[in-house]
Amino acid sequence: MGLIRVRLSVVQAVVRKSTIVRLLGDDRPRTLAVAALLGAASSSCSYAAVALARSLFRKGSNFTAAMAFEIGSTNLVSNWASSWPC
């Protein structure tokens, strides 16, 4: 829980709202790709991903971009894709 609180504190205190809105403020494909890449870079457990996505949304992120961040953060897509037979 400590690491989750640290990440939330960084998003809430250090990252400006204008930066969040600029990077994640709409639902264009480029924005969703950025959100998913930022999520993958953070690579959190699902509880932390939900908390971080909520924090991003409260700071001005588009809801769809926040969900793309959450999915990218939990690495659900890579786990799902790697389980497919070739």
Side-chain angles (χ1 to χ4, degrees), residues 29-82:
R30 180 184 178 279
T31 303
L32 300 180
V34 168
L37 288 173
L38 287 173
S42 75
S43 189
S44 301
C45 69
S46 55
Y47 293 114
V50 170
L52 282 168
R54 180 176 181 252
S55 181
L56 289 171
F57 181 69
R58 294 178 93 187
K59 291 275 286 203
S61 171
N62 177 279
F63 178 77
T64 307
M67 293 301 101
F69 175 89
E70 181 179 340
I71 290 170
S73 180
T74 57
N75 297 321
L76 291 175
V77 175
S78 64
N79 291 339
W80 174 72
S82 66

